[in-house]
Amino acid sequence: MIQIKNLKKSFRTEEVETLALNNVNLKVEEGEFVAIMGPSGCGKSTLLNIIGMLDNPTEGSYNFAGHEVAGLRESQRTQLRKGNLGFVFQSFNLIDELTVFENVELPLIYLKMSKSERKEKVMAVLERMKIAHRKNHFPQQLSGGQQQRVAISRAVVTNPKLILADEPTGNLDSKNGIEVMNLLTELNQEGTTIVMVTHSDRDSHYAHRVVNLFDGQIVTESQNRAIGAII
Amino acid sequence: MFKNHLKIAWRSLRKQPFLSVLNTLGLAIGIAGTLLICLYIYDELTYDRMFADAERIHRINVDMKFGGPDKQVSQVSGPMAAAVLQDIPQVEQTLRFRPWGTASLSRADSKELVLENNTAFADSTLIDMLGLKVLYGNPKDALSGPNKLLLTKSAAEKHFNLSDAVGQEVVFNESQTYTVSGVIEDLPKNSFLSTYSVFMSMLSHQDQNVNWGNHNYNTFIKLKPNTDPEDIAAPLQGMVEKYLIPYAQEFFPGITLEQFEASGNYVRYSTIPLVDIHLHSNREADMSQNSDYKDIYILSFIALFLILLASINFMNLSTAYSLKRSKEVGIRKTLGSNKMTLVRQFLTESGLMTFGSMVIGIALVIVVLPYFNDLANKSIAFPYLNPVFWGILLLSVLILGLFSGSYPAFFMSRFVPIRVLKGTGENTVGGSKLRSTLVVFQFVVSVFLIIGTLVVSQQLQFIQNKDLGYEKDQVLLVNNVNRLGSELPAFKERVKSLAQVGNASLSGFLPTPSYRTDSSYFLEGKMNQESAINMQGWQVDFDYINTLGLKMQAGRTFDPSITTDSSAVIINESALAVMQMEPEEALGKRIFNGIGEEGFSHFTIVGVVKNFHFESMRNQIRPLALHIGNSSGLMAIKLKSGNFEGAIAQIQTLWDATAPGIAFDYEFMDDSFDRVYQNERRLGTIFIIFTSLSIFIACLGLFGLAAFNAQKRIKEIGVRKVLGASVSQITYRLSFDFLKLVFIAILAAVPIGWIAMDRWLQDFTYRIDIGWTVFVLAALLASGIAILTVSYQSIKAAVMNPVKSLRTE
């Protein structure tokens, strides 16, 4: 599903040019659950952003489901992203002014789905995430765990092929963290591909495969044997 | 402490250059605009106050009706001055002017003529009563005998060395010789005498009509100290019965005041303080072009709006951007700063900014003042050395700084430290409703001003394009043709024979500003004062009607082949209406003109001319009678289309051949026409300029708020983009909130604008109806400008890479 070849990404500030990613090669098959790990500043999030088509690589190629993404214009990337990708962030990134229901509904609006269809889909996903009773609340009225469940609802409501999660448990206590990881595993088992950036060893054990980044390069890749059997 | 405040203030201004520049610039423009208007208003309000005991000087006015429409005149009869001085003990001194318009002056020993725009006969009290400064000559002697003349410094310099001028002889209008008996300082620009340069002694004025029936003298009286003008109202009105009625009895034997008034006629005398004339006198025969006090109100409102808009900007931007400083406030409070210290800190900042704005504003005014003077026809000097001006200015700026700064200061100092430090402050801090309200207010003002500007310019357009009833285009007006003397008829025929010339006419009476005279006419068989018809009576020649393209309603034009036409008259439709006759009914009727030295002259009505506008469209078209006569001040020449310059050159060649040495002075009639509406046009331009300024200020504020809003919603924009929102969707979202406010403002401004401008239009007898297009146009303009302002920031935010905006977390 994802094929990345010789990918480079550099950032230029006034004085220095920083190479965030250096010759990254990565392949992710459909239905895989991949964790990306590494110390702060190693380029994890940059890689995730490129995979999520939020950013363009400086060099190299990125093929997503048969489409070459590198070099696409922003509007074309937006088009390709819509409905195919779901995002889960560490800080949830819910819109404070919108209710739970409206937050989850948002990606469907951008897909120009009819109102009745939207309602049906949003309610289904909220039921599934056990947060439907809070649909009229605003994000600040929810606990962290609940907020992340809303964020995951929003990520999956379009039935995306790929979910990108950036430290999804980083702002949660362990109980809520495990709950979120179980949700992601469940989605993966239903066929959704997941790429997750994490600092947490515990979370990485939920993945099929762990990719270790250091200074913008992949240093090791390891297969997990005992999926979901930790703790 | 204050020094520390100042230091911190300076640093925080530098830290937010965008905000500081917007705030300072907006306020500076507001201050500059307001200052300009204030200087203008001050100039208008101080008209004529420089004269000695100005507040004791009054002018006698007369309102009268004697057949025809009523008239408000600023001139009274010649004998009035002597009568009030004799009969009313409170009157200390009197001064009469008899304006004589443009005249030529030459040295007795030279042929060179110099035209002076405004001359007047004046009583010998001129210098003493007004306290004029005499540079050369004896003030007591200046106008005390016949053939004495007084020059202003500028007028004298054209002919003589200033110190030699007194005692020299000058020839006035190439006929009368005068002796220069004094040179005075040029008259102040903001006085009713500003355009006058030559005064002739009244004793040299040969007026055959010095009687109570002719009203030709601008008459000023100085009251004794502590006299209430009300006290002389009754004795002044008493002049009617004491002098005017006996005079009328010469024509209507035995008439009494009661009979006179019973027929609906009246003569009412009143006084107006000299210092009120400029803004409150809109009468026939005013000596200077006056302003309307209503314009002063309008300008005051605009000035108030300007400074209010700028101040609102300041508040809006400061409170908005204060959210960025909430952390600073939290830390300061945690470290023990109390509320008042913070308030003082923020007030120092706003004070510093206001002061900077004032400096920039003053610099702007100094730069712009010469252009503004040109535009407004003023000579306002920047009052560098006036301590009162600086005192008021500094005080106003201090108040402005406190007013604009206090809300943001108190608003910020209220932040609760725990909340802002935890980062939840942004959502709990209010103030956005107030900001929205203020933005709505700003746009109400802007839309209102746009509506005002559109209506004023449409009315001007209307006047410009209205069918005037005569053709003012391609008509050349040649001045001073009476200089040609006996050559004049031949000159006219030679001009008429030029291929480029359509027609030519000799008359001092034209629809554009020129001579006017009115008198009472009577229909044959109705020789009593009840039936008097007050009409303009113009002497014209046989070519007049054709040259000006006047249209006949009935009857015929003057015909040189009909010998009796020397006593023919053509009246206009308004005169017909006063006579209450049908056109055909009036033809052949005889009318009498009762006032004139040779007694009654009679005229036969041979035609009725369609009404044409010969006064401002503020007024109704008055009754008018045209008859054949010699009044050769001006020559109107209708040119054929084509090469005007060539035609003018040919006419000038003829002129030079006929009258060598006399200057050929001409203008186009449409330029002369434009002068009638000079005030309106000037007001229109001033309107446009200050409207643009206020819109600009409102937009600066909107621009800053949009930037702030985009920044505040940066996370939301990022999330939306990640979820698939397009640039246009986000731009729309960000802009819509502001456009909603502008839309509300439009709804509020439309009725206000309609009511206000409808009232303004009431002053014009001939006016436009305010159509819906004005409001649609104003709405489109306002929202268009707002969209441009806001969308720049919105698009900037929308195209931003969401990775960046989400990283700011």
Side-chain angles (χ1 to χ4, degrees), chain B residues 291-311:
Chain B
S291 301
D292 190 341
Y293 70 96
K294 278 183 238 127
D295 297 348
I296 300 296
Y297 284 139
I298 293 175
L299 282 173
S300 308
F301 270 115
I302 294 181
L304 192 70
F305 282 154
L306 265 183
I307 202 71
L308 209 55
L309 288 185
S311 174

Side-chain angles (χ1 to χ4, degrees), chain B residues 686-717:
Chain B
I686 290 175
F687 237 137
I688 289 174
I689 289 175
F690 287 105
T691 301
S692 316
L693 269 191
S694 65
I695 293 169
F696 181 72
I697 292 174
C699 282
L700 274 188
L702 200 59
F703 188 74
L705 275 189
F708 164 74
N709 188 49
Q711 208 163 32
K712 203 181 103 181
R713 295 173 69 175
I714 201 157
K715 184 187 116 184
E716 179 196 334
I717 297 166

Side-chain angles (χ1 to χ4, degrees), chain A residues 181-200:
Chain A
M181 287 316 297
N182 285 337
L183 270 172
L184 289 177
T185 308
E186 215 176 284
L187 289 167
N188 177 243
Q189 280 162 357
E190 285 163 20
T192 313
T193 313
I194 296 181
V195 177
M196 171 180 77
V197 162
T198 183
H199 264 124
S200 151

Side-chain angles (χ1 to χ4, degrees), chain A residues 49 54 74 81 87 94 110, chain B residues 715 720-722 725 801 803:
Chain A
N49 286 336
L54 298 176
E74 195 196 315
R81 204 164 58 215
F87 289 86
L94 298 174
Y110 293 130
Chain B
K715 184 187 116 184
R720 284 182 186 273
K721 285 193 79 174
V722 168
N801 189 337
V803 174

Side-chain angles (χ1 to χ4, degrees), chain B residues 430-447:
Chain B
S432 71
K433 257 211 188 95
L434 182 84
R435 274 198 296 278
S436 304
T437 314
L438 291 177
V439 167
V440 169
F441 177 78
Q442 285 188 310
F443 270 84
V444 169
V445 171
S446 300
V447 174

Side-chain angles (χ1 to χ4, degrees), chain B residues 412-485:
Chain B
M412 280 194 263
S413 62
R414 271 208 317 263
F415 289 163
V416 180
I418 307 243
R419 283 209 210 139
V420 293
L421 288 180
K422 266 172 132 184
T424 51
E426 273 195 23
N427 305 315
T428 49
V429 173
S432 71
K433 257 211 188 95
L434 182 84
R435 274 198 296 278
S436 304
T437 314
L438 291 177
V439 167
V440 169
F441 177 78
Q442 285 188 310
F443 270 84
V444 169
V445 171
S446 300
V447 174
F448 172 72
L449 290 177
I450 295 177
I451 292 173
T453 308
L454 288 175
V455 171
V456 170
S457 51
Q458 279 190 3
Q459 173 69 15
L460 286 178
Q461 198 90 36
F462 170 78
I463 290 171
Q464 205 85 23
N465 297 336
K466 189 176 189 307
D467 181 13
L468 298 166
Y470 66 94
E471 291 163 14
K472 68 177 160 59
D473 298 324
Q474 301 178 28
V475 177
L476 195 70
L477 301 180
V478 181
N479 289 320
N480 306 311
V481 286
N482 43 3
R483 295 281 178 66
L484 300 184

